[in-house]
């Protein structure tokens, strides 16, 4: 299955067909999710209208973790099986992941001001997400720090795997430590503890963010493959 | 085992032959801490309250600065590829060099810490815990730092890059290291924090040599 | 008897294929001289043979068994001399040599340092034993590097431009050392631009295996 995508030419053909579908799905799911979330879902009896930030904040935080997990998985694939697209996939995921992390931090801060009365608290969940942000930064800096792109990709893959220890810490930080941040209410044992009228827009937004991720990832991968081809042409000019 | 000691002894000897240069990390540590009374003012209560945090942050930075050179010199003069070609696992070489690094930087930091604690008016109840926490925490810093030091070999702007890579990973050690001292100063039990620091050390001991060796092999390709 | 062989080796450096479809065989007591223009992959082939680089495809075998199956054993039977001298300026000549000698196996009986004196004699730098490395000239550093390979026996010598910076007397010493090594059944693979007297050596011209009009690896094809 994986090997079928190893051929860049086949990948280019396949991705060209998939990209418009991903773009369309992102627009439709995102519009539906925002409409339900901002206009249809009830305001929270405690939090009022500001609860609607949740429909961006929670999916963004999920995606921040999802992107890092994908990046680590792609890095492991690249290190173990030397799959040519895995390196590119890991490298292309990082900028998307850091944007989701940033979005989660900013929306969390905006939500925290009316709820907790402060923009920021130094508790386990917020701190570990901030560390995730720095891990993404370090990864991106390392990828670009070498003259030989292959060396940068391999070094960054090791870093991605080392940094992966942070992901379970983020997920369980609210359970392990007393935190201002509320515990998980959707992804937990015994089913979600959230009303369907709020769950529907939340899941729609999460789906929209996921299709957005795959859309941008494919576009970036295509660009990376094309630039590799350009470098190959340049090298041929040098080495004959 | 004898080869492990052979490498560690050579690295310690190299550090000693550099004379004052080998003590650079401790001098940085002392200077960085001494800056704080100038920055926040010499008020006793204020200094006593921030003392644990200041000492830990300065120790973190000092050990990070010295880590940049952990593999760099051996990489540049070709020693690293010969070490990689000796008939023993590269993980053992990493562990030997990390041990030497801790002996030449971590240990002097621990020795200097009580002196700095006095300068910052730390309550004497905190001293023992500070030393124990540093003794448990600094080996983790050397181990985690070895991964970063191996990753940056051959890169542009290695030093700044190293701080970007390993400081986020140092944060847990910082949190529990400071937590232990603060707990002792407040009269609470310090066992949980020290146990967590010990667990970090064991986890780093089992993971980091492997990751650093993988990074070194890439750097030598 | 053919001991050390390579089959169908492909080497990729960065994004460039250096050579492809390369075969070689070295018998006990034989020598292989690598020839070819700059960039033809002489150094890369030596690093492949040493195990510092992994071939993109193809296999290296020792006595019929793939070297990749037991890299520790393979490293134990080779000496590698690269472009760099792996010499610490703050250690004396004897200390430098003793360090590398102590990392090799096969000297279980007796002190590994015992071989240091004769090895320095071989290359005419015994009088420099107590001189710190930083005072050595380029040629003297090179002699020290070469002395390293005669301190501990290993059947396979991989020498990358070993005569760089050497004068005629030192080159003659090296030729004599190689002859003595081969007389004892040892093997030598040497990459060189200069004329070296290596009796009955086979010449492997790497320009025959160069890859033309083919840029990057799989992604560019």
């Amino acid at each position: 299955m994986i090997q079928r995508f190893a051929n860049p030419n086949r990948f280019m053909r396949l991705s060209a067909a998939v990209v418009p579908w991903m773009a369309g799905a992102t627009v439709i799911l995102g519009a539906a999710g925002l409409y339900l979330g901002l206009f249809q879902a009830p305001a929270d009896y405690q939090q009022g209208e500001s609860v609607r930030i949740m429909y961006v904040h929670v999916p963004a935080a999920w995606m921040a973790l999802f992107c890092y997990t994908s990046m680590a998985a792609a890095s492991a694939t690249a290190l173990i099986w030397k799959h040519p697209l895995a390196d590119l996939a890991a490298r292309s995921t990082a900028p998307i992941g850091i944007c989701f992390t940033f979005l989660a931090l900013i929306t969390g801060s905006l939500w925290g001001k009316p709820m907790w009365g402060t923009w920021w608290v130094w508790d386990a969940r917020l701190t570990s997400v901030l560390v995730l942000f720095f891990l993404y930064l370090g990864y991106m800096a390392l990828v670009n720090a070498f003259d030989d792109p292959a060396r940068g990709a391999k070094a960054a893959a090791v870093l991605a795997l080392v940094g992966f220890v942070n992901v379970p810490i983020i997920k369980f930080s609210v359970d392990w430590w007393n935190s201002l941040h509320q515990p998980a209410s959707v992804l937990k044992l015994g089913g979600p503890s959230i009303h369907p009228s709020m769950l529907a827009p939340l899941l729609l937004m999460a789906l929209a963010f996921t299709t957005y991720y795959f859309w941008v990832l494919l576009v970036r991968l295509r660009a990376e493959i094309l630039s590799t081809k350009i470098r190959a042409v340049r090298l041929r000019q040098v080495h004959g | 085992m004898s080869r492990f000691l052979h490498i560690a002894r050579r690295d310690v000897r190299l550090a000693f032959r550099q004379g004052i240069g080998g003590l650079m990390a401790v001098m940085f540590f002392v200077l960085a801490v001494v800056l704080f009374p100038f920055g926040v003012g010499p008020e006793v209560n204020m200094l006593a309250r921030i003392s644990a945090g200041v000492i830990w942050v300065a120790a973190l930075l000092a050990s990070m600065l010295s880590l940049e050179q952990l593999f760099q010199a051996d990489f540049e003069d070709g020693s690293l590829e010969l070490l990689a070609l000796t008939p023993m696992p590269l993980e053992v070489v990493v562990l030997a060099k990390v041990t030497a690094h801790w002996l030449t930087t971590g240990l002097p930091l621990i020795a200097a810490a009580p002196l700095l604690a006095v300068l910052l008016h730390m309550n004497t109840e905190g001293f023992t815990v500070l030393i124990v926490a540093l003794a448990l925490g600094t080996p983790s810093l050397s181990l985690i730092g070895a991964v970063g030091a191996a990753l940056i070999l051959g890169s542009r702007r290695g030093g700044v890059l190293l701080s970007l890579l390993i400081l986020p990973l140092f944060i847990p050690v910082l949190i529990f290291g400071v937590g232990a001292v603060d707990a002792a100063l407040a009269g609470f039990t310090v066992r949980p924090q020290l146990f967590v620091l010990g667990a970090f050390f064991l986890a780093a001991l089992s993971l980091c040599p492997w990751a650093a060796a993988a990074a070194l092999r890439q750097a030598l390709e | 008897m053919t001991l050390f062989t390579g089959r169908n080796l492909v080497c990729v450096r960065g994004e460039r294929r250096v050579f492809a479809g390369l075969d070689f065989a070295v018998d006990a007591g034989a020598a292989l001289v690598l020839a070819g223009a700059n960039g033809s992959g002489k150094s890369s082939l030596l690093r492949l043979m040493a195990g510092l680089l992994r071939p993109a495809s193809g296999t290296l075998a020792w006595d019929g068994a793939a070297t990749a199956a037991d890299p520790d054993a393979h490293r134990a039977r080779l000496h590698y001399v690269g472009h760099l001298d792996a010499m610490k300026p703050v250690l004396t000549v004897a200390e430098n040599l003793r360090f590398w000698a102590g990392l090799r196996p096969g000297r279980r009986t007796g002190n590994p340092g015992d071989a240091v004196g004769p090895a320095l004699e071989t290359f005419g730098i015994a009088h420099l034993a107590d001189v710190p490395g930083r005072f050595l000239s380029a040629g003297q550093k090179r002699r020290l590097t070469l002395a390293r390979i005669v301190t501990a026996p290993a059947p396979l010598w991989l020498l990358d431009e070993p005569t760089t910076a050497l004068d005629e007397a030192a080159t003659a010493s090296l030729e004599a050392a190689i002859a003595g090594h081969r007389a004892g059944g040892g093997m030598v693979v040497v990459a060189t631009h200069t004329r070296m007297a290596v009796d009955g050596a086979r010449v492997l011209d790497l320009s025959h295996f160069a890859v033309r009009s083919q840029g990057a690896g799989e992604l560019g094809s």
Side-chain angles (χ1 to χ4, degrees), chain B residues 3 6-7 10 13-14 17 73-79 81-89 220-221, chain C residues 13 47 50 52-54 72 75-76 80 84 86-88 90-91 95 98-100 102-103 105 108 148:
Chain B
R3 289 188 211 144
H6 193 63
I7 296 177
R10 170 249 202 183
R13 180 183 289 166
L14 282 175
R17 292 279 169 90
D74 281 346
F75 178 70
E76 280 165 4
D77 71 11
S79 300
E81 49 186 34
L82 292 184
L83 285 170
L85 285 176
T86 53
M88 62 174 147
L220 290 171
E221 275 204 356
Chain C
R13 302 297 287 137
R47 293 173 77 82
L52 283 170
L53 270 181
R54 262 168 303 187
D72 282 2
R75 290 198 295 263
Y80 170 80
L84 300 162
M87 187 216 60
K88 292 294 170 192
V90 293
L91 298 183
E95 281 172 335
R98 215 175 289 131
F99 171 66
W100 294 115
L103 290 176
R108 294 265 177 262
R148 175 170 58 76

Side-chain angles (χ1 to χ4, degrees), chain B residues 67 70-71 94 98 141-151 166 208 212 215:
Chain B
L67 277 163
L70 183 58
F71 299 115
V94 169
V98 167
L141 301 184
S142 296
L143 282 163
I144 297 168
V147 181
L151 284 173
I166 63 177
C208 292

Side-chain angles (χ1 to χ4, degrees), chain B residues 114-139:
Chain B
L115 179 76
L116 296 171
V118 171
L119 286 181
L120 293 180
H121 305 287
M122 183 191 279
N123 213 321
T124 41
E125 284 105 73
F127 278 37
T128 331
V129 175
L130 176 68
I131 290 170
V132 173
L134 279 171
L136 281 170
T138 47

Side-chain angles (χ1 to χ4, degrees), chain A residues 144-147 151 154-155, chain B residues 151 153 155-156 165 218-219 221:
Chain A
N144 294 311
F146 296 90
D147 293 323
R151 164 95 176 96
K154 282 187 193 166
Chain B
L151 284 173
L153 289 178
S155 71
R156 302 181 291 260
L165 300 188
Q218 291 169 6
E221 275 204 356

